Amino acid sequence: MRILLVDDVQMERMQLAIRLKQLGHTVEMASSGQQAMDIYGSFDPELVLLDVSMPGVDGFEVCRQIREQFADWIPIIFLSGHDQPEMIASAIEAGGDDYLVKPVDKIVLNSKLVAMQRIALMRRELKAKTAELAKLNNILQQQATEDSLTNLKNRRYTDNKLQELIALHGRHQFWLSLILIDVDNFKLFNDTYGHIAGDKCLVALSGLLLKLFVRSGEFVARYGGEEFVIVLPHSNLEQAQQQARRIQLAVAELDYSQNVNFTLPPVTLSQGVLSLVPSGSETVDQLYQDVDRAMYKAKKAGKNCFVVHSDEIRN
């Protein structure tokens, strides 16, 4: 175990430390209560052997501070030359787990250490399982909110987040914008080059969109199939149109088809843009319907352009 030994009497401290090291434990020594508190966090002990009577901060106060400042419980055994019942009661009340009277009998000390080591082993196993569980929970959380192909946020996350944003922006009368994107002629792309190539194209576009939208609050999600949605909090119509133009230029520069030696025309996008100051009563489906209509107008207008909801075509 990692044992923190706190005793202001040097001879007693050294003798006990030697005995503990001979038993295979790692020992860190402190000659005062304050020193014990200073090194506690970095040493991360699995057992504290704590003298009661020390100048300045006594053992009872050190024990109380440990229990208050560190959430992770570890056993604390008091060491004292006093065997009065009142002292033992005070030690337990301060947060101690056991009380040994000096000079400590070797057999008694060894027995206590064996018991404490069992606890230390159980704590290690518990911490390992807790860490593993936390890791699994993070994986499940990612699976619940991320698209497995593109690693973008998925439809479930977007719906929930968008409903929150509608309420928030409606309450404070902030602008909120959406951009719905569809990859032009994607069925032809899949039919010509296969679905694996189509997936790679979607991954490339996802990576591009992630690089374009990095401001706090905004995010890119996979809406479904070859469609993406970009949520832009605190963005008005002019700002949303600027972002749509950025997307169009960035995809043109990417020139995905040429970069991978495809013979089809370059990959382009049709975009629908919706900007509003919500009342707070709108539904997510209503916003999707409006921005979806705008996107389909862009399709009908010849593709590779964006259309603002209830507006003319913007090239």
Side-chain angles (χ1 to χ4, degrees):
M1 291 180 291
R2 296 185 304 277
I3 300 176
L4 176 59
L5 173 59
V6 189
D7 197 323
D8 64 318
V9 180
Q10 183 178 10
M11 185 61 69
E12 294 181 359
R13 185 173 68 247
M14 295 300 295
Q15 289 177 345
L16 185 52
I18 291 171
R19 193 186 311 174
L20 294 172
K21 290 178 180 180
Q22 288 173 342
L23 293 172
H25 303 291
T26 300
V27 182
E28 187 73 27
M29 293 182 287
S31 60
S32 68
Q34 186 58 55
Q35 186 182 17
M37 293 304 301
D38 291 341
I39 65 177
Y40 185 96
S42 58
F43 181 56
D44 188 24
E46 295 173 297
L47 171 65
V48 176
L49 297 178
L50 181 58
D51 188 22
V52 172
S53 302
M54 294 183 292
V57 182
D58 66 14
F60 293 156
E61 181 58 28
V62 171
C63 185
R64 280 190 284 265
Q65 290 184 24
I66 289 174
R67 296 307 189 209
E68 290 174 2
Q69 296 181 28
F70 299 95
D72 195 15
W73 176 89
I74 59 110
I76 297 175
I77 298 178
F78 279 103
L79 307 174
S80 175
H82 304 283
D83 60 357
Q84 295 91 338
E86 294 79 11
M87 288 288 288
I88 299 174
S90 297
I92 302 304
E93 185 178 351
D97 301 290
D98 208 339
Y99 189 101
L100 295 177
V101 179
K102 296 179 182 179
V104 181
D105 182 83
K106 290 183 180 181
I107 296 177
V108 173
L109 178 62
N110 291 350
S111 299
K112 296 289 184 182
L113 292 175
V114 169
M116 293 301 106
Q117 191 160 352
R118 291 174 186 154
I119 295 174
L121 288 172
M122 287 189 291
R123 285 183 64 252
R124 291 174 193 172
E125 292 176 0
L126 179 60
K127 289 176 74 172
K129 290 179 180 178
T130 301
E132 183 180 357
L133 182 60
K135 183 179 179 180
L136 290 174
N137 283 335
N138 287 335
I139 293 173
L140 289 174
Q141 182 67 22
Q142 287 181 344
Q143 291 176 345
T145 61
E146 290 185 1
D147 175 64
S148 58
L149 174 66
T150 63
N151 292 327
L152 298 177
K153 297 301 182 184
N154 62 16
R155 179 70 178 271
R156 177 186 298 176
Y157 174 91
T158 307
D159 289 356
N160 293 335
K161 191 66 177 178
L162 193 52
Q163 195 64 63
E164 294 176 8
L165 291 173
I166 291 170
L168 175 66
H169 286 60
R171 185 161 59 249
H172 297 285
Q173 291 296 281
F174 294 146
W175 279 94
L176 174 64
S177 293
L178 294 182
I179 300 176
L180 183 62
I181 297 171
D182 185 84
V183 182
D184 295 329
N185 304 312
F186 193 69
K187 184 178 186 303
L188 177 61
F189 190 100
N190 268 339
D191 291 345
T192 304
Y193 302 115
H195 289 281
I196 293 177
D199 286 348
K200 290 181 178 179
C201 178
L202 294 178
V203 170
L205 290 172
S206 301
L208 175 66
L209 293 173
L210 282 174
K211 291 179 181 178
L212 292 177
F213 296 95
V214 296
R215 294 187 309 170
S216 177
E218 63 188 20
F219 65 91
V220 184
R222 189 177 182 189
Y223 186 74
E226 67 272 21
E227 293 183 330
F228 303 92
V229 62
I230 299 167
V231 180
L232 302 170
H234 306 286
S235 295
N236 58 28
L237 178 57
E238 181 180 354
Q239 293 168 325
Q241 291 179 89
Q242 290 175 353
Q243 298 298 346
R245 293 188 185 96
R246 283 180 69 219
I247 295 169
Q248 201 169 11
L249 290 172
V251 172
E253 292 176 0
L254 178 66
D255 198 5
Y256 184 78
S257 295
Q258 183 175 340
N259 287 342
V260 292
N261 297 318
F262 290 149
T263 57
L264 287 178
V267 172
T268 60
L269 307 177
S270 295
Q271 304 180 64
V273 178
L274 171 66
S275 296
L276 75 161
V277 178
S279 66
S281 61
E282 294 87 352
T283 66
V284 171
D285 285 342
Q286 287 173 340
L287 268 60
Y288 283 152
Q289 288 173 6
D290 289 343
V291 75
D292 191 59
R293 290 192 192 99
M295 188 268 291
Y296 272 101
K297 285 184 180 179
K299 288 282 187 188
K300 292 178 181 179
K303 305 174 183 177
N304 193 25
C305 62
F306 69 89
V307 168
V308 176
H309 176 62
S310 300
D311 203 347
E312 297 299 324
I313 298 168
R314 310 273 175 157
N315 293 309

